Amino acid sequence: MKKHINKSILYSTILVVTMLINTSCSEDDLTGRSTLVATNPNLSIMLDFQNNETLIEEETSYAFTVSISEPQISDTRVYLTQTGGNATAGEDFSFPSFVTIPEGQTTATDAISIHADDIIEETETVQIKIGTGLEANINGSDSETVMFNILNLEEGDLAISLSWDTEVYQTDGTEFEPTDIADLRLLVTDVPYTSVIGSSDEATFESYTLTSTSPDGEYYVIADWYSAADLGTQGTFPVSITADFNQIGVINDLNFSFVDALDSGNSCSSVYYIIAKITKTGENYDISEIGENSPVTAETFVGTATIIADDWADYAVGDQITLEAGATPYEFWIRAYNNPYISNPTTAYMIVTIDPLTGNVTVQSNEDFDYGCSEGDVTGNGNVNACAGTIDLLLNFGLGDCGDYQGNSFSLEL
């Protein structure tokens, strides 16, 4: 009997050990823990709002969700930080310093809160970055920068805000912040644009309030350049712009967006974009979309220019030449007063006609340039740059019995 009991105990012990071994070797203990290993997941951020919000100051929250590509064996923290703006943390807004994605999960949701107060203030802004790059065990933090323009409006005021996007990347693949490489101004002007009535030129996106006491009439809303970054070999870049309009109880986030409205290659204040026209009557605002580039006129190209290149060799590099106003605001004349190779330098000139929307030009001589040939027709095309004061042409010389000569580079700079 004793031997029998001992065998039973022995068999039971073997069975328990075997079960323990099998259990410990299982790929899943039904808790999820045993299948997880430490990895470097990718981070993504989804906003329940636009990344540039203009709002009238009131108690409200803006939710966002952070996600990782696969669950982890420990909690994952995604950090937030304020990167700009003049609003006061804790009074005008609040946000969590970090969001925790619990172990074994892939998402977490939190919110940025905007607070109301009874103090009438100037427009305040706050810029917050979600995903600071300080996150541990995350491969390449996919951050999101959000901007809030907090308006303190009175009844009858119209708030206008301007934001922009560039989609330009650094050599390491990180996207430039739009305000780091493009600095635009928001202008409110008369119609047509001859003078600036009000403007905003901050270090971030822009906002302006047209008050109820402003005179009735028509106003243009315009974006123009303060400066653009020189990206060297990356070249120039386009800028897409968005304007938002708000009036308490009447207009709620009316916005107009324009893709590639401006380009850093033409980034001086004489180049602008007409966004909208406002017709104000008392506290009523009729807002219509315009979406037009500033016209390129001949005014910039009147004066004395320096020869930069002349394939035809009528002039030497460095020589100076006279440019005169033409018959229309979009026409100027390149005079031939100093051309030593023609017999009619005082009467012959090239008429340059500008396409006001593109800056492209066509060229036609007013009469034959008399080189001693049976004909002397000069034609061509090219472009002008109002910011740089440059004129780049390709000229064709139809000289009859002397031959035709196409595509001769002729470049000037004022």
Side-chain angles (χ1 to χ4, degrees):
M1 185 66 178
K2 183 176 181 180
K3 289 182 180 180
H4 177 70
I5 293 173
N6 287 341
K7 285 182 178 180
S8 298
I9 293 173
L10 177 61
Y11 294 153
S12 297
T13 302
I14 292 171
L15 179 60
V16 169
V17 170
T18 302
M19 291 175 65
L20 288 173
I21 292 172
N22 289 338
T23 301
S24 66
C25 293
S26 172
E27 291 185 354
D28 196 347
D29 61 2
L30 302 181
T31 68
R33 289 176 176 269
S34 62
T35 62
L36 297 180
V37 294
T39 60
N40 290 314
N42 294 319
L43 172 67
S44 60
I45 299 162
M46 180 172 292
L47 305 176
D48 288 353
F49 55 96
Q50 299 298 314
N51 62 4
N52 185 76
E53 287 282 344
T54 297
L55 63 143
I56 298 170
E57 187 177 58
E58 59 184 358
E59 289 292 335
T60 187
S61 294
Y62 293 86
F64 62 91
T65 300
V66 294
S67 303
I68 51 177
S69 54
E70 52 188 318
Q72 297 298 290
I73 60 175
S74 61
D75 292 349
T76 300
R77 285 185 173 183
V78 178
Y79 293 92
L80 290 80
T81 187
Q82 181 181 353
T83 56
N86 59 358
T88 303
E91 296 180 9
D92 299 309
F93 68 94
S94 59
F95 63 92
S97 57
F98 60 85
V99 179
T100 300
I101 302 175
E103 60 173 299
Q105 298 186 29
T106 57
T107 64
T109 299
D110 214 314
I112 298 167
S113 297
I114 305 298
H115 305 306
D117 58 41
D118 296 325
I119 301 172
I120 299 300
E121 305 163 300
E122 296 294 329
T123 296
E124 298 169 300
T125 61
V126 59
Q127 189 175 59
I128 297 170
K129 189 174 185 179
I130 307 171
T132 65
L134 298 177
E135 290 76 18
N137 71 307
I138 287 180
N139 180 29
S141 177
D142 180 15
S143 65
E144 183 77 52
T145 299
V146 297
M147 168 69 79
F148 296 94
N149 303 288
I150 307 169
L151 310 178
N152 286 265
L153 297 183
E154 295 183 352
E155 294 287 343
D157 290 350
L158 178 68
I160 309 166
S161 65
L162 173 69
S163 62
W164 53 92
D165 191 22
T166 51
E167 294 189 10
V168 180
Y169 294 85
Q170 304 178 51
T171 54
D172 64 359
T174 305
E175 187 173 2
F176 280 108
E177 294 293 339
T179 53
D180 287 343
I181 59 173
D183 189 358
L184 304 184
R185 300 189 306 167
L186 171 62
L187 308 180
V188 175
T189 76
D190 54 358
V191 178
Y193 174 19
T194 60
S195 61
V196 176
I197 294 168
S199 65
S200 173
D201 182 18
E202 304 295 335
T204 56
F205 295 138
E206 311 295 349
S207 61
Y208 180 82
T209 300
L210 187 63
T211 66
S212 60
T213 58
S214 299
D216 289 350
E218 293 183 332
Y219 299 86
Y220 271 155
V221 178
I222 286 175
D224 80 349
W225 285 99
Y226 179 77
S227 65
D230 182 356
L231 301 183
T233 57
Q234 285 187 260
T236 62
F237 54 88
V239 179
S240 300
I241 61 177
T242 297
D244 289 277
F245 301 85
N246 284 274
Q247 182 188 12
I248 295 174
V250 181
I251 301 171
N252 184 33
D253 280 341
L254 171 67
N255 67 79
F256 302 134
S257 295
F258 307 95
V259 176
D260 298 347
L262 295 167
D263 192 280
S264 66
N266 276 307
S267 55
C268 59
S269 59
S270 64
V271 174
Y272 55 89
Y273 195 85
I274 305 174
I275 297 169
K277 184 173 75 171
I278 299 170
T279 303
K280 179 182 182 297
T281 307
E283 296 184 357
N284 297 315
Y285 301 90
D286 179 50
I287 306 171
S288 55
E289 180 178 335
I290 300 295
E292 292 181 1
N293 289 99
S294 57
V296 182
T297 66
E299 181 181 5
T300 306
F301 307 100
V302 174
T304 301
T306 300
I307 304 296
I308 303 301
D310 182 10
D311 288 353
W312 188 243
D314 276 348
Y315 307 94
V317 172
D319 283 353
Q320 293 190 320
I321 193 170
T322 300
L323 308 182
E324 296 179 353
T328 75
Y330 308 109
E331 180 182 295
F332 64 92
W333 299 343
I334 301 177
R335 300 301 308 225
Y337 296 134
N338 301 325
N339 190 330
Y341 298 103
I342 61 175
S343 62
N344 56 337
T346 60
T347 59
Y349 53 85
M350 289 181 278
I351 302 170
V352 181
T353 303
I354 304 171
D355 180 337
L357 296 181
T358 64
N360 294 330
V361 300
T362 58
V363 180
Q364 176 64 62
S365 58
N366 72 314
E367 63 184 40
D368 283 353
F369 276 46
D370 189 356
Y371 289 99
C373 304
S374 60
E375 297 178 16
D377 188 41
V378 182
T379 60
N381 56 66
N383 61 79
V384 295
N385 186 311
C387 293
T390 55
I391 303 164
D392 294 299
L393 308 175
L394 288 176
L395 299 179
N396 309 311
F397 294 86
L399 302 185
D401 58 1
C402 295
D404 292 333
Y405 303 88
Q406 306 291 312
N408 294 275
S409 178
F410 187 58
S411 296
L412 311 174
E413 183 174 22
L414 282 89

